[in-house]
Amino acid sequence: VVASLPRHSSPAGRTSRGAQQRLKKMAGLQAPSWQLLEQAEAMEFQLCDQLENPVALAQYLTNCCQQLMLYLIEDRLEDARFLWRRTIAVRDSSPQLQMVWSVGRWLWKRNNIPEALRLLTESPWDESLAPLAEHAVHSIRQRELAVTGRVYATIPLASVASQLLLSEEEALEACRRCGWTYDAESSEIRPKPLVDAEDRFDGLKQLDQLTKIVTQLTTEWGAHQVPRRRLAFGQTVVPVPPHRARLLGWKLGDGSGVAAE
């Protein structure tokens, strides 16, 4: 809650001073990202009815930029989409907000994570967003490593490096920090699921993780143009390599790398 100020201060003035303090705190990452996100959401609520005031509007846009970036850090992409929609009346006046959502759009589609990382690392972020963008790069790479650990038994080092937008040397170091092994002869990584107590969940979070895994598989193998078809009793044939189908516990179909779930 914004600290109390003398009664002669206007509502906009009170919000302005509190907003400035919070924006500085967020820009410096002086608290966990989830805590900063709670503060950003509270400030959005306070500022949303003061947009006729130029000072409040500027603070609102800065706050929304940071809030949107924090959603990306926390992997709350649905919330990020709703925030983007809420800013429809003012977002055209904020190039920074549009750049943040360009990152969010690629993360939402999940078909070009390297492009999202490229935008985060190469875009001209202002001082209030640069530390958050750097933190977002780290968070996205960690999530991609987690998905890789669940999906792949082996994967070329070059593919890991490309997905993480790193050099092969940097990607190999990241894989070794995960405890994964590297076969120099085949230039392949042998991933394994990352050990994390927070990964023990069910319900919607589990569905979200399953969606990421299936998206990763279909993105990789979609180029092979294996036809999809509907089987009896709601079964579906999807393009999956045989060793991956066995890992997921799926039955192999006609021997062409097609698995029936």
Side-chain angles (χ1 to χ4, degrees):
V1 178
V2 178
S4 299
L5 294 173
R7 290 187 177 181
H8 63 268
S9 299
S10 65
R14 291 197 298 270
T15 304
S16 174
R17 297 182 189 182
Q20 289 174 355
Q21 294 175 355
R22 291 184 182 182
L23 293 174
K24 290 180 181 179
K25 187 175 183 180
M26 281 189 279
L29 282 179
Q30 298 175 6
S33 56
W34 63 265
Q35 185 177 358
L36 295 175
L37 188 49
E38 289 180 351
Q39 296 174 0
E41 290 172 337
M43 182 155 45
E44 180 199 358
F45 179 76
Q46 293 173 4
L47 292 170
C48 64
D49 60 349
Q50 303 178 32
L51 301 185
E52 295 181 358
N53 184 309
V55 175
L57 175 60
Q59 292 173 347
Y60 175 80
L61 290 172
T62 301
N63 179 77
C64 286
C65 288
Q66 295 177 333
Q67 185 177 342
L68 192 58
M69 191 74 82
L70 287 165
Y71 280 139
L72 304 186
I73 291 172
E74 291 292 311
D75 200 22
R76 292 171 54 180
L77 301 182
E78 190 67 46
D79 291 324
R81 289 183 72 203
F82 282 123
L83 175 59
W84 175 249
R85 292 172 182 175
R86 290 197 299 274
T87 62
I88 187 171
V90 295
R91 64 194 184 197
D92 288 345
S93 60
S94 175
Q96 292 281 300
L97 185 60
Q98 295 174 42
M99 283 195 299
V100 179
W101 179 242
S102 294
V103 176
R105 185 181 294 112
W106 286 116
L107 294 178
W108 176 264
K109 293 179 178 179
R110 277 207 62 82
N111 60 359
N112 198 341
I113 300 299
E115 179 63 16
L117 291 169
R118 187 193 67 78
L119 289 172
L120 283 168
T121 56
E122 297 181 4
S123 297
W125 305 111
D126 61 27
E127 294 181 358
S128 67
L129 287 174
L132 295 175
E134 183 177 351
H135 192 41
V137 169
H138 175 74
S139 297
I140 293 168
R141 283 174 174 158
Q142 287 301 112
R143 292 199 293 268
E144 288 303 300
L145 286 170
V147 172
T148 299
R150 292 188 182 97
V151 172
Y152 295 97
T154 60
I155 182 173
L157 175 61
S159 297
V160 178
S162 175
Q163 186 71 1
L164 300 180
L165 202 69
L166 293 172
S167 67
E168 291 194 7
E169 292 76 12
E170 293 170 327
L172 179 57
E173 180 61 27
C175 292
R176 284 174 171 164
R177 286 197 297 267
C178 295
W180 298 350
T181 58
Y182 174 62
D183 185 349
E185 184 176 349
S186 62
S187 298
E188 288 187 333
I189 296 291
R190 291 186 172 87
K192 57 184 179 180
L194 302 183
V195 178
D196 190 343
E198 293 183 356
D199 287 344
R200 299 178 181 177
F201 49 69
D202 51 21
L204 293 177
K205 288 186 177 180
Q206 191 173 21
L207 178 61
D208 179 64
Q209 287 295 330
L210 180 59
T211 301
K212 290 179 180 178
I213 290 173
V214 174
T215 302
Q216 182 74 24
L217 292 171
T218 55
T219 298
E220 177 185 1
W221 292 93
H224 292 273
Q225 301 297 324
V226 180
R228 301 166 183 247
R229 58 185 181 274
R230 181 69 58 180
L231 301 181
F233 308 109
Q235 291 182 317
T236 305
V237 169
V238 296
V240 178
H243 72 279
R244 190 65 50 219
R246 296 189 187 98
L247 183 65
L248 294 173
W250 292 358
K251 296 180 180 179
L252 290 178
D254 57 10
S256 63
V258 176
E261 183 183 10

